[in-house]
Amino acid sequence: MLRVGSKAACLACRNLVSTNMGVRFRVPLQKLHPLSRAIHHRYSGNTNPQRAPHRTAARYFTSMSRLPMRPPKPPPGSGGRGHQQQRNFWVARLAARLLKLRYILLGSAVGGGYTAKKTYDEWKDMLPDFSEYNWVIPDFVWELSEQIDLDKLAKALPEMEEIVKLLPDLDKIGENFTFIKSLLSSGVSLGSEVKGASGLHLLLETSGDPPLKAADSSAASTQDSSDKQYKKSSDRERIDQLQEELLRTQLKYQRMLERLEKENKELRKVVLQKDDKGIHQRKVKKSLIDLYSEVLDILSDYDSNYNTQDHLPRVVVVGDQSAGKTSVLEMVAQARIFPRGSGEMMTRSPVKVTLSEGPHHVAMFKDSGREFDLSKEEDLAALRHEIELRMRKSVKEGQTVSTETISLSVKGPGIQRMVLVDLPGVISTVTAGMAADTKETIFSISKAYMQNPNAIILCIQDGSVDAERSIVTDLVSQMDPQGKRTIFVLTKVDLAEKNLASPSRIQQIVEGKLFPMKALGYFAVVTGRGSSSESIDSIKDYEEDFFQNSRLLRDGMLKAHQVTTKNLSLAVSDCFWKMVRESVEQQADVFKASRFNLETEWKNNYPRLRELDRNELYEKAKNEILDEVISLSQVTPLHWESILQKKLWERVSTHVIENIYLPAAQTMDSGTFNTTVDIKLKQWTDKQLPHKALEVAWETLQEEFARFMAEYRGKDQDDIFDKLKEAVKDESIKRHKWNERAMDSLRVIQHNALEDRSITDKPQWDAAISFMEETLQSRLKDTESVISDMVGPDWKQRWLNWKNRTPDQHIRNETKNELERLLKLHDDHTAYLANDEVTTVRKNLEGRGVEVDPVLIKDTWHQLYRRHFLQNALSHCNLCKRGFYYYQRHFVDSELECNDVVLFWRIQRMLVITANTLRQQLTNTEVRRLEKNVKEVLDDFGEDQERKSQLITGRRVQLAEDLKKVREIQEKLEAFIEALHKEK
């Protein structure tokens, strides 16, 4: 026995309290009793302080009994020596007794220490094994134990008197128990009242109190058959009082549990916050429910058409519209996180909510890094708004609901771990504004989730409306006829009790007797007064007050474990984890077999290729495209300038010949020619030439970019990237905008180049003549082709190729012959026919029987005169080959007036300078901007999964995607199963 108030007893109690709170301390016994340790070392020679102290004490007392007593020395005299001898003996005996008393005290201390240690060990063995709850308290809590002040902790614990006050009055319970036993033994029929009192048996059994045998022996003596009728009313009142007392006791213990849970949450939150601040840095492991939720997220994105189905458990929340599904889920999550509406469809797509425990009450979307603090109203409003936006975004045009799942995780202290899926409410009628197939779509979504054989169906029924109006119960009965995985929840019980004339109807519902639907369990909950501004705490208080005062619970129609959302969440969580443990390994085997099939197909079809999924293929294509874009910067300046000069002349040559050269050359006057050329060149430079040059440069850049893409495509490149490269090229060119600020400087450069007329050397003169000859010959060839098409085949083609002229070609041929005779007569004829000349030609043709229109005559004349002029210009160009000396000496000779050569030299010089300017702009600015655009396009395409799925396609891609998903799912499942076994 430990002496009250002793040091050993206090420390033993402290050790017990520390063990109960999860903090383990070991206080060595020798630290508590240094005196016993000293005796042990002194008399037994024991060097181990942990050896049995009772043996040390026994050995000490044995040695005391064997101490040799030294006989007294005989006195030298004989007189008063006897009295002196007797006095000396008495003093020695007194000293021996005092020493003996001291050693007895020391031995008692040793025995008390041993008894304290033995009692501590017995109490410790009586405690349950909390090792399976190690996940609740982090590892570093044990390391913090040395930093905790034991004295402060002991003072913080409640006194024994306070604990005793919380215990029920055993005498009163015994008296009530005696009364009930007497009623039962006398055969009094109490009906439903006895059912309410039966909860007392459960209370006594669970509390571990011993049965009261005295109550059994006195039960028969307290009942008198003569006054049954007289005591009946008092018995009912007493039973009512007993039930009310029982409810008050339950609520009392419930409040105690909630207070202790709240303190535990605060303590764990403080510990975790200290860990976050760096008291103990450790690698944070994902919780069990987070691992499981990741598997479900991967499965939701996985195309399960290849021999694989998702049969992993989750809690599916189904119910009629406005039945209170979302409210129940919010009570389980302990936060009002969903959009709310009065009679309006708010849940438009499935919402997967992963509930787990954590130090802070926060929520987070799967694809977002933002945390919403659920303890702040502004974050709650932002979360509800974000969920509503995601729902509306997932709904396609012309639809009302969507099959796309929104994934959300909620963490907080005391939240039960599970995965729930909130589905759109089942409707009976399609109203205005809804799509015509809304009802069928909701049914198909609900069936798709409920047909999972391992899914737990949480069927929500509105208690405030007639049960016959429910639609969801029939749907649930079809999917789970035996009710092996269904939990029925009756909401709005407060309204049901108020509206129903017969409360026993509620009892029939929760007992499963009203509906043909079967279920594992039945629950009745209250989720508030219907106001969207109510907080979770106020709803909990209202629910607790309602059931405390409700006669449904008082009359025994509802059992205590069937009410409140807290009991519901505990039951659903237990059922969820039971289903997970029973089915997860089987699902892992299914995915293992699917992985083997996919790997076998890949080895047979693509034995020499790596298993690259769509994202990896995209990265490979992205690098190839960027390499091709970089190749543009390696194009030589000479190549750029030659291409630009050629393409620019092709674009402007028609304008130069038709609108500048021919009108000026047909004036037949040197001064007029130069004046006309200068005016037209100035107008051309101010309005059209810079724009044309920039268009040519932009088109040249596009063509070169496309050429490099095509060249790389032929160098053993994977043809799976063709669609992607084409789309990147088109989008990059579409986004590229040429720098228009260079146009003004280009206009000035071109104007100065055309103003210069001084040809400094003979090579430049010869180059201009060669340029002029090529241009005139090209135009003459084009004109000959036009005339040939007008008049049809000549006699040689008709004889050799068996071709004939059409009537129109015959008329044009006769007109051509007549106009050629006119040109022979007037070699220096102007470019236009006079009216009298047109009349003459027409009459001559009519004389030969050819009717011709004056317009046809003028058109034919234009082409003939153009050919005649170009032939003369070519002849003049040959003469000017030797005219550079006269041009340099400024001699005036009508035959060697080579102003047209000077014009072509000015045009040629302008082309060279413009090509050089555009090349500098291309290499210094535009190529880099195009490369930047390509990178932006690739980045945008990389973020758009739908776009990548459209551009990178084929069985090879899909097979690699399936392999990656199946491997990832299998690995996640194996990690989850390993963590699940550790938790067991």
Side-chain angles (χ1 to χ4, degrees):
M1 297 295 292
L2 292 179
R3 184 168 58 86
V4 177
S6 66
K7 188 173 183 182
C10 293
L11 289 175
C13 292
R14 289 183 184 178
N15 289 336
L16 176 62
V17 171
S18 302
T19 306
N20 288 334
M21 293 192 67
V23 185
R24 302 176 181 175
F25 299 94
R26 290 186 178 179
V27 182
L29 188 61
Q30 57 271 30
K31 290 187 179 180
L32 302 179
H33 305 285
L35 294 177
S36 63
R37 189 175 65 252
I39 293 173
H40 180 77
H41 287 295
R42 172 65 181 85
Y43 291 100
S44 65
N46 183 17
T47 58
N48 187 1
Q50 295 184 354
R51 296 183 61 180
H54 64 283
R55 270 187 269 170
T56 304
R59 189 179 302 173
Y60 161 71
F61 287 117
T62 304
S63 62
M64 284 290 296
S65 62
R66 296 178 182 178
L67 285 175
M69 300 297 295
R70 182 179 298 176
K73 294 180 181 181
S78 60
R81 295 178 182 177
H83 176 73
Q84 183 71 23
Q85 182 178 4
Q86 184 179 3
R87 187 180 63 181
N88 291 339
F89 179 77
W90 178 83
V91 170
R93 187 172 58 181
L94 178 62
R97 289 182 177 179
L98 291 175
L99 290 174
K100 182 178 180 180
L101 179 62
R102 183 185 65 180
Y103 289 126
I104 290 173
L105 293 176
L106 293 177
S108 300
V110 173
Y114 170 73
T115 306
K117 182 177 183 300
K118 184 177 181 181
T119 306
Y120 165 73
D121 294 336
E122 291 177 355
W123 288 4
K124 185 176 179 182
D125 295 337
M126 292 170 60
L127 293 176
D129 186 11
F130 291 99
S131 60
E132 63 181 73
Y133 299 101
N134 287 340
W135 63 269
V136 178
I137 302 178
D139 298 337
F140 64 88
V141 174
W142 313 119
E143 301 180 11
L144 290 176
S145 60
E146 298 179 0
Q147 305 177 10
I148 298 179
D149 193 344
L150 293 177
D151 295 333
K152 293 183 179 180
L153 183 61
K155 292 178 181 179
L157 294 174
E159 298 295 337
M160 184 62 67
E161 291 78 4
E162 298 179 1
I163 298 176
V164 171
K165 290 179 182 179
L166 298 177
L167 296 176
D169 191 350
L170 297 179
D171 296 335
K172 203 166 187 178
I173 293 177
E175 181 182 351
N176 295 331
F177 185 78
T178 302
F179 172 71
I180 293 172
K181 293 287 288 185
S182 65
L183 292 179
L184 293 175
S185 62
S186 62
V188 177
S189 176
L190 299 179
S192 62
E193 289 80 4
V194 177
K195 294 182 180 178
S198 62
L200 183 60
H201 295 275
L202 178 62
L203 178 62
L204 292 175
E205 290 175 2
T206 54
S207 60
D209 294 334
L212 302 176
K213 298 182 179 179
D216 296 335
S217 63
S218 62
S221 62
T222 58
Q223 180 65 30
D224 189 8
S225 61
S226 62
D227 53 351
K228 288 182 180 179
Q229 299 297 329
Y230 176 76
K231 290 184 178 180
K232 187 174 182 178
S233 59
S234 61
D235 292 344
R236 290 180 180 275
E237 293 177 358
R238 196 167 181 181
I239 289 175
D240 292 339
Q241 293 178 0
L242 179 62
Q243 289 177 346
E244 292 179 359
E245 185 178 352
L246 181 62
L247 287 175
R248 285 196 298 271
T249 305
Q250 290 178 345
L251 293 175
K252 184 177 180 181
Y253 279 110
Q254 186 71 23
R255 292 192 187 97
M256 289 174 56
L257 289 174
E258 291 178 355
R259 180 173 61 84
L260 293 175
E261 287 178 357
K262 185 176 181 181
E263 293 176 357
N264 188 26
K265 293 175 188 175
E266 295 296 330
L267 177 61
R268 293 174 61 188
K269 185 186 295 185
V270 170
V271 172
L272 291 175
Q273 287 175 348
K274 287 183 178 180
D275 182 48
D276 292 339
K277 293 179 181 179
I279 291 180
H280 183 75
Q281 298 294 334
R282 63 190 180 94
K283 184 177 180 181
V284 179
K285 296 182 179 179
K286 292 184 179 179
S287 65
L288 195 64
I289 191 66
D290 289 335
L291 291 173
Y292 187 75
S293 180
E294 286 182 0
V295 176
L296 296 182
D297 287 336
I298 298 172
L299 284 172
S300 64
D301 299 332
Y302 175 61
D303 185 9
S304 58
N305 292 332
Y306 193 87
N307 262 349
T308 304
Q309 293 181 352
D310 177 14
H311 287 167
L312 290 176
R314 71 259 286 161
V315 181
V316 180
V317 186
V318 295
D320 298 326
Q321 183 177 340
S322 302
K325 299 186 293 70
T326 302
S327 300
V328 172
L329 204 154
E330 286 180 337
M331 291 294 292
V332 175
Q334 301 181 15
R336 310 208 71 172
I337 58 178
F338 291 102
R340 310 186 68 81
S342 179
E344 179 186 357
M345 178 181 290
M346 299 305 298
T347 306
R348 297 179 177 271
S349 64
V351 182
K352 183 178 75 68
V353 183
T354 303
L355 301 178
S356 59
E357 193 172 12
H360 305 287
H361 204 184
V362 295
M364 182 186 298
F365 289 99
K366 178 189 71 172
D367 55 353
S368 174
R370 178 185 177 184
E371 277 191 351
F372 295 89
D373 190 350
L374 302 184
S375 61
K376 298 180 180 179
E377 186 58 37
E378 56 270 19
D379 279 21
L380 277 171
L383 177 61
R384 289 192 291 264
H385 180 66
E386 180 68 18
I387 292 176
E388 185 175 3
L389 287 180
R390 287 174 179 257
M391 285 184 180
R392 295 189 180 277
K393 184 179 178 181
S394 65
V395 177
K396 297 180 180 179
E397 186 177 357
Q399 298 294 322
T400 306
V401 293
S402 170
T403 58
E404 183 178 343
T405 303
I406 298 174
S407 184
L408 178 71
S409 63
V410 177
K411 297 183 179 181
I415 295 180
Q416 298 299 319
R417 303 177 300 162
M418 66 184 98
V419 177
L420 302 100
V421 182
D422 186 22
L423 300 180
V426 179
I427 60 175
S428 59
T429 306
V430 177
T431 59
M434 292 185 179
D437 61 343
T438 302
K439 179 180 177 180
E440 290 75 14
T441 304
I442 294 176
F443 268 84
S444 63
I445 293 174
S446 301
K447 288 181 179 180
Y449 278 91
M450 288 191 294
Q451 70 184 2
N452 179 1
N454 297 320
I456 301 169
I457 303 173
L458 196 62
C459 180
I460 309 297
Q461 169 66 38
D462 189 351
S464 63
V465 299
D466 295 335
E468 290 77 10
R469 295 168 55 186
S470 176
I471 307 172
V472 70
T473 52
D474 294 337
L475 180 62
V476 173
S477 299
Q478 296 174 9
M479 306 308 297
D480 185 23
Q482 303 299 324
K484 295 182 179 180
R485 51 189 181 90
T486 301
I487 297 177
F488 181 85
V489 182
L490 185 67
T491 62
K492 306 178 184 179
V493 182
D494 52 343
L495 300 178
E497 184 184 32
K498 184 187 302 182
N499 298 336
L500 289 178
S502 176
S504 61
R505 190 174 176 85
I506 298 178
Q507 183 180 6
Q508 292 178 349
I509 294 176
V510 297
E511 289 180 355
K513 298 179 180 179
L514 189 63
F515 296 112
M517 182 191 72
K518 299 179 180 179
L520 285 173
Y522 297 84
F523 289 86
V525 298
V526 175
T527 55
R529 299 178 177 87
S531 174
S532 60
S533 59
E534 286 184 284
S535 64
I536 294 296
D537 293 334
S538 64
I539 295 175
K540 285 182 178 179
D541 295 339
Y542 173 72
E543 184 182 39
E544 181 180 333
D545 294 340
F546 168 77
F547 285 115
Q548 181 179 359
N549 302 319
S550 173
R551 67 192 187 99
L552 295 173
L553 196 61
R554 187 172 60 250
D555 296 344
M557 298 182 185
L558 295 177
K559 297 180 176 61
H561 68 273
Q562 288 183 309
V563 298
T564 72
T565 52
K566 182 176 181 61
N567 290 333
L568 171 65
S569 63
L570 289 172
V572 173
S573 178
D574 291 342
C575 187
F576 169 75
W577 285 108
K578 180 181 178 182
M579 190 72 75
V580 168
R581 290 185 174 92
E582 291 176 353
S583 61
V584 67
E585 293 187 359
Q586 180 182 359
Q587 292 300 308
D589 294 337
V590 172
F591 283 102
K592 187 181 296 184
S594 177
R595 174 178 177 177
F596 176 78
N597 295 336
L598 293 172
E599 288 177 346
T600 303
E601 182 181 354
W602 182 275
K603 291 177 182 178
N604 292 333
N605 295 328
Y606 312 102
R608 298 183 180 180
L609 294 178
R610 288 195 304 133
E611 300 166 2
L612 300 179
D613 60 7
R614 184 172 281 108
N615 291 330
E616 293 170 336
L617 288 171
Y618 182 81
E619 291 299 322
K620 181 180 178 182
K622 179 179 178 180
N623 294 330
E624 291 184 5
I625 294 172
L626 291 177
D627 291 342
E628 295 164 8
V629 175
I630 292 175
S631 300
L632 281 175
S633 60
Q634 300 176 358
V635 178
T636 61
L638 183 61
H639 180 74
W640 278 120
E641 291 181 9
S642 62
I643 295 176
L644 289 170
Q645 186 174 346
K646 179 181 179 181
K647 296 183 72 66
L648 181 59
W649 175 240
E650 290 176 355
R651 183 66 58 86
V652 303
S653 60
T654 302
H655 181 82
V656 170
I657 299 298
E658 302 295 335
N659 298 331
I660 298 177
Y661 173 65
L662 290 180
Q666 292 172 2
T667 58
M668 301 300 181
D669 183 74
S670 175
T672 307
F673 177 87
N674 291 330
T675 303
T676 303
V677 166
D678 291 342
I679 294 173
K680 290 186 177 293
L681 287 177
K682 181 67 168 61
Q683 294 175 351
W684 183 45
T685 306
D686 292 340
K687 296 180 180 180
Q688 299 181 11
L689 183 57
H691 293 281
K692 295 289 184 182
L694 292 182
E695 289 177 3
V696 168
W698 176 221
E699 292 175 2
T700 303
L701 180 61
Q702 295 180 34
E703 292 177 1
E704 288 297 302
F705 181 43
R707 182 175 66 84
F708 275 100
M709 298 278 282
E711 289 180 357
Y712 271 85
R713 190 180 306 167
K715 295 180 179 179
D716 297 331
Q717 297 297 318
D718 202 335
D719 56 357
I720 204 171
F721 303 142
D722 291 348
K723 292 173 64 176
L724 174 62
K725 290 183 177 181
E726 191 68 23
V728 170
K729 183 194 73 174
D730 295 340
E731 184 65 22
S732 302
I733 292 173
K734 181 180 178 181
R735 294 187 184 184
H736 186 81
K737 302 296 181 183
W738 195 272
N739 187 9
E740 299 292 341
R741 291 179 297 177
M743 184 178 297
D744 295 334
S745 60
L746 181 62
R747 181 181 292 108
V748 174
I749 292 173
Q750 290 173 339
H751 181 73
N752 293 334
L754 292 174
E755 283 291 326
D756 189 8
R757 298 176 183 161
S758 58
I759 303 176
T760 57
D761 53 15
K762 186 69 165 58
Q764 293 184 9
W765 181 270
D766 294 339
I769 291 176
S770 176
F771 176 58
M772 180 178 174
E773 282 183 342
E774 292 177 0
T775 304
L776 295 179
Q777 287 176 356
S778 175
R779 294 296 167 177
L780 180 59
K781 184 178 180 180
D782 295 340
T783 305
E784 292 283 0
S785 177
V786 172
I787 295 174
S788 176
D789 293 338
M790 289 173 58
V791 300
D794 56 6
W795 65 270
K796 185 177 181 181
Q797 291 177 342
R798 289 198 304 270
W799 280 97
L800 295 177
N801 299 329
W802 295 86
K803 291 182 178 180
N804 295 320
R805 290 173 177 165
T806 63
D808 183 66
Q809 291 176 342
H810 178 71
I811 295 173
R812 286 188 176 273
N813 183 59
E814 294 295 332
T815 306
K816 178 184 75 79
N817 295 332
E818 187 66 26
L819 292 175
E820 285 179 345
R821 285 194 292 269
L822 180 61
L823 277 175
K824 289 180 181 180
L825 296 175
H826 304 282
D827 187 61
D828 54 352
H829 199 287
T830 60
Y832 302 99
L833 283 176
N835 291 331
D836 55 347
E837 292 177 332
V838 173
T839 303
T840 302
V841 171
R842 181 181 178 187
K843 289 182 177 180
N844 292 336
L845 292 174
E846 289 177 353
R848 295 199 296 269
V850 179
E851 295 290 336
V852 63
D853 186 70
V855 177
L856 188 144
I857 296 173
K858 292 181 179 180
D859 291 342
T860 307
W861 169 258
H862 176 72
Q863 297 299 329
L864 293 175
Y865 181 80
R866 181 186 179 87
R867 183 182 62 180
H868 175 72
F869 176 81
L870 292 174
Q871 290 173 349
N872 292 335
L874 282 172
S875 300
H876 181 69
C877 182
N878 290 327
L879 293 175
C880 289
K881 289 181 180 179
R882 53 186 179 86
F884 176 72
Y885 174 79
Y886 298 99
Y887 165 79
Q888 195 175 26
R889 298 294 187 272
H890 301 286
F891 292 154
V892 179
D893 190 344
S894 58
E895 292 185 0
L896 293 177
E897 283 286 341
C898 296
N899 295 316
D900 48 358
V901 176
V902 177
L903 170 63
F904 277 92
W905 179 82
R906 294 164 68 183
I907 297 295
Q908 187 182 35
R909 187 167 182 271
M910 181 274 299
L911 294 174
V912 172
I913 294 176
T914 301
N916 181 267
T917 305
L918 294 175
R919 188 266 306 167
Q920 293 180 14
Q921 185 177 358
L922 280 172
T923 55
N924 297 335
T925 306
E926 302 303 329
V927 171
R928 296 179 181 177
R929 291 180 63 228
L930 179 62
E931 182 179 353
K932 182 180 179 181
N933 289 337
V934 172
K935 291 180 179 179
E936 292 177 354
V937 171
L938 289 171
D939 292 339
D940 293 344
F941 284 5
E943 296 175 358
D944 191 349
Q945 293 294 332
E946 184 177 357
R947 195 74 175 265
K948 286 196 292 187
S949 300
Q950 295 173 355
L951 297 177
I952 303 178
T953 58
R955 178 56 189 165
R956 167 185 159 194
V957 182
Q958 190 60 44
L959 188 59
E961 285 284 307
D962 292 344
L963 262 174
K964 178 185 176 183
K965 289 290 184 183
V966 170
R967 284 172 179 165
E968 187 177 7
I969 293 170
Q970 184 186 356
E971 292 172 0
K972 296 284 186 182
L973 277 176
E974 290 176 353
F976 171 75
I977 293 171
E978 182 180 358
L980 189 64
H981 290 328
K982 288 182 179 179
E983 189 180 73
K984 289 182 181 180

